[in-house]
Amino acid sequence: MSNDVPRLRFAPSPTGYFHVGGARTALYNWLVARQSGGTFILRIEDTDLERNREEWVDGILSAMTWLGIDWDEGPYRQSERADRHVAAAQRLYDAGLAYYCGCTRDEVERRTKDRQTPGYDGYCADRGLEPGPGRALRFRSPDTGTTVVRDVVRGEVSFENATIEDFVIVKSSGQPLFHLANVVDDIDMRVTHVVRGEEHLPNTPKALLLWDALEGGPTPVFAHLPVLVNEKRQKLSKRRDPVAIEDYRDQGYLPEAMRNYLALLGWAPADGRETLTVEEMIGEFRLEDVNNSPAFFDVVKLGHFNGEYIRALSTPEFVSRCAPWLEAAPWSPERYDAVAFERLAPLVQERVSTLSEVPSMVEFCFLEEPTIDQASWDKALGRNPLASAVLAASRDGLGRCPWTAGDIRAVIEEAGASQGLKLAKAQAPVRVAVTGRSVGPPLFESIEVLGREKTIARLETALERIRDAGPG
Ligand code: GLU
């Protein structure tokens, strides 16, 4: 098929939140399609009615859109193609390549529990059963020879046909199963490259046998992508690890940072650099260069990555990306001041690794009273005998100095010096009194944006609180 225009597909089963492994698979398929002028197909494999949910389908579509992974065909629904699957099953049956089986699970288990080869024992293979209630259709897999998967990532992987059981392709209920539906769809959609997770490698010899039986001719190129693991080298699990793309979106990761990071989970450009534009990824990605060892999904590194992407935004772009987080912030809308936010934005942009951290960094400016972090208060003010004097001197100086960050700094520096404190020590109580926290954007600029009146009122309030608490 190598002369054809490549046709790739992403074929997720909507059985849960769309996770990073699925997104990486989608991305790699998309990169190959985009770099080769090929077609990228989205096919929702929704035949498992008990485990599928419509909201998971929506989650896949919206997460792919968010990541900028667009598709040229689809989304096709596998469930709408059941007649094609049934017709293919019929052809296999008519050709003697599939047979009906009336065994119950218990019967198979009883007969096979002491056998060396796992799986179905072929009991019905030559019984010539007609279709009927309780009868599933099994594919007659060859008893001898080997099936070789030629995998771009893993090289040649051989499977003894004797170890491949006669697997069910249509359940006794009439429902076509994964192996059949997946291959029939790939044939119908003229798929040239099957790029999917490593967990599907054991399914591939079955796919090749089916492909051969139904279509003949060249099979698609296969590439099985390495498993993703956590910091303990355990396979990522939906239950244990933070894997849902939606969660990363909601926490304020940038889609371009996420996409860049996903691309590196199993691949790196030849020169080993890590920050790539999407055009560079499309230009440089090579399926042949995908690694076959497990890829570490490093949430900490993703955070650093995201921070770098945030810092690379222009400030106006950063401001507009922050909008959804500011709308959901804890202040009342009439207290929000867009100009003040724009002034704080470049300071905040330097200090966050996700956009969801932004509101807590600027809320001191838009809440009537700052939210006091008690531990910070206790350390900087409650247990600090010099705090009152520093706050009072700062209040006095800030009441009359010119209102620039430089002058504000000079006042606080002097207030500290009068108590024998260096600037860093003098800043701490002022910061907590004015912003409620011990960390945040640079203090003098923050105070400048907050304004003289509010700053002085907060210093007064803090002084009263200290007085009320009495000598410790
Ligand atoms: N529907 C399968 C899954 O979500 C993917 C099958 C394939 O890519 O061939 O794991």
Side-chain angles (χ1 to χ4, degrees):
M1 293 225 164
S2 51
N3 295 332
D4 297 344
V5 176
R7 290 177 60 82
L8 294 102
R9 86 302 194 269
F10 176 51
S13 303
T15 54
Y17 286 113
F18 187 49
H19 59 94
V20 289
R24 193 265 317 256
T25 299
L27 177 63
Y28 281 15
N29 276 283
W30 181 83
L31 288 172
V32 176
R34 291 292 170 263
Q35 69 185 196
S36 59
T39 301
F40 179 56
I41 302 164
L42 176 57
R43 179 171 85 221
I44 307 291
E45 299 209 323
D46 58 349
T47 47
D48 187 346
L49 299 176
E50 277 152 35
R51 294 175 62 221
N52 291 171
R53 279 209 240 142
E54 203 47 40
E55 69 202 70
W56 307 134
V57 177
D58 296 341
I60 293 168
L61 303 187
S62 72
M64 285 178 66
T65 304
W66 178 70
L67 287 168
I69 304 175
D70 57 342
W71 51 93
D72 308 306
E73 284 182 27
Y76 296 115
R77 298 284 188 136
Q78 192 158 65
S79 59
E80 289 169 4
R81 302 176 35 78
D83 53 341
R84 296 289 304 164
H85 310 143
V86 170
Q90 185 66 40
R91 273 193 283 135
L92 292 174
Y93 176 69
D94 291 345
L97 296 170
Y99 61 86
Y100 282 97
C101 164
C103 301
T104 64
R105 192 187 298 254
D106 285 352
E107 286 165 357
V108 177
E109 228 169 78
R110 210 172 324 116
R111 287 200 309 266
T112 59
K113 63 180 187 312
D114 299 325
R115 285 175 81 223
Q116 295 223 306
T117 12
Y120 186 65
D121 59 354
Y123 181 81
C124 292
D126 300 312
R127 290 178 71 205
L129 295 182
E130 298 285 325
R135 292 189 179 165
L137 189 63
R138 288 185 182 272
F139 179 74
R140 200 184 288 278
S141 110
D143 297 330
T144 56
T146 50
T147 297
V148 180
V149 177
R150 293 191 174 77
D151 188 280
V152 180
V153 177
R154 264 142 239 284
E156 289 194 357
V157 190
S158 298
F159 295 83
E160 294 298 324
N161 290 337
T163 65
I164 304 171
E165 65 170 339
D166 290 352
F167 52 97
V168 174
I169 51 177
V170 181
K171 285 214 282 197
S172 57
S173 64
Q175 196 198 337
L177 287 186
F178 168 76
H179 295 297
L180 179 70
N182 184 258
V183 169
V184 169
D185 287 356
D186 281 346
I187 292 172
D188 281 356
M189 294 173 192
R190 293 173 289 116
V191 167
T192 59
H193 293 65
V194 172
V195 178
R196 58 185 179 182
E198 178 179 295
E199 67 278 10
H200 284 291
L201 185 60
N203 297 329
T204 305
K206 294 179 183 173
L208 289 173
L209 292 172
L210 278 174
W211 189 287
D212 227 31
L214 287 165
E215 178 76 355
T219 51
V221 171
F222 282 90
H224 288 91
L225 307 177
V227 68
L228 302 186
V229 295
N230 65 17
E231 70 286 353
K232 295 187 185 127
R233 313 302 286 173
Q234 296 161 317
K235 189 173 185 293
L236 282 195
S237 121
K238 289 188 192 182
R239 254 157 262 112
R240 187 181 45 219
D241 303 300
V243 294
I245 293 286
E246 282 98 330
D247 289 346
Y248 287 98
R249 179 181 58 198
D250 295 347
Q251 285 164 33
Y253 285 80
L254 304 185
E256 59 271 42
M258 192 77 201
R259 186 176 54 206
N260 188 161
Y261 187 67
L262 289 172
L264 301 176
L265 295 173
W267 173 80
D271 61 7
R273 76 192 189 288
E274 295 202 309
T275 312
L276 290 97
T277 64
V278 73
E279 290 76 19
E280 289 170 335
M281 275 185 244
I282 291 172
E284 296 176 43
F285 181 79
R286 292 287 171 273
L287 210 42
E288 297 73 26
D289 294 341
V290 171
N291 217 300
N292 66 10
S293 47
F296 174 26
F297 179 68
D298 184 348
V299 185
V300 176
K301 183 162 176 188
L302 172 60
H304 291 312
F305 228 82
N306 201 54
E308 277 179 32
Y309 265 85
I310 286 180
R311 281 181 276 295
L313 295 174
S314 69
T315 300
E317 179 66 17
F318 174 71
V319 168
S320 84
R321 300 277 191 116
C322 286
W325 278 270
L326 300 179
E327 275 158 30
W331 52 77
S332 53
E334 67 278 6
R335 296 192 70 88
Y336 178 67
D337 174 351
V339 175
F341 180 71
E342 278 166 31
R343 291 172 68 196
L344 291 171
L347 310 172
V348 171
Q349 190 177 358
E350 288 303 312
R351 285 167 178 77
V352 292
S353 56
T354 61
L355 297 177
S356 62
E357 294 161 43
V358 172
S360 68
M361 286 233 168
V362 298
E363 68 176 25
F364 73 91
C365 207
F366 308 122
L367 288 172
E368 173 125 41
E369 293 296 333
T371 315
I372 304 285
D373 172 59
Q374 195 56 44
S376 303
W377 175 279
D378 292 344
K379 181 155 185 264
L381 295 152
R383 294 195 301 269
N384 178 357
L386 301 178
S388 290
V390 173
L391 294 191
S394 301
R395 175 202 55 198
D396 296 345
L398 293 176
R400 45 178 191 261
C401 74
W403 204 249
T404 70
D407 293 297
I408 293 164
R409 177 197 154 111
V411 165
I412 296 170
E413 194 163 20
E414 208 183 301
S418 71
Q419 303 302 313
L421 296 175
K422 291 226 161 63
L423 180 60
K425 288 268 186 234
Q427 260 195 78
V430 178
R431 180 187 285 284
V432 177
V434 174
T435 71
R437 299 170 200 267
S438 53
V439 287
L443 181 62
F444 316 123
E445 285 85 350
S446 298
I447 289 178
E448 186 187 351
V449 175
L450 182 65
R452 194 190 304 270
E453 205 181 309
K454 285 186 192 155
T455 304
I456 288 179
R458 287 180 186 188
L459 292 170
E460 290 285 8
T461 308
L463 281 164
E464 272 165 37
R465 247 186 99 176
I466 296 172
R467 257 197 311 276
D468 291 350

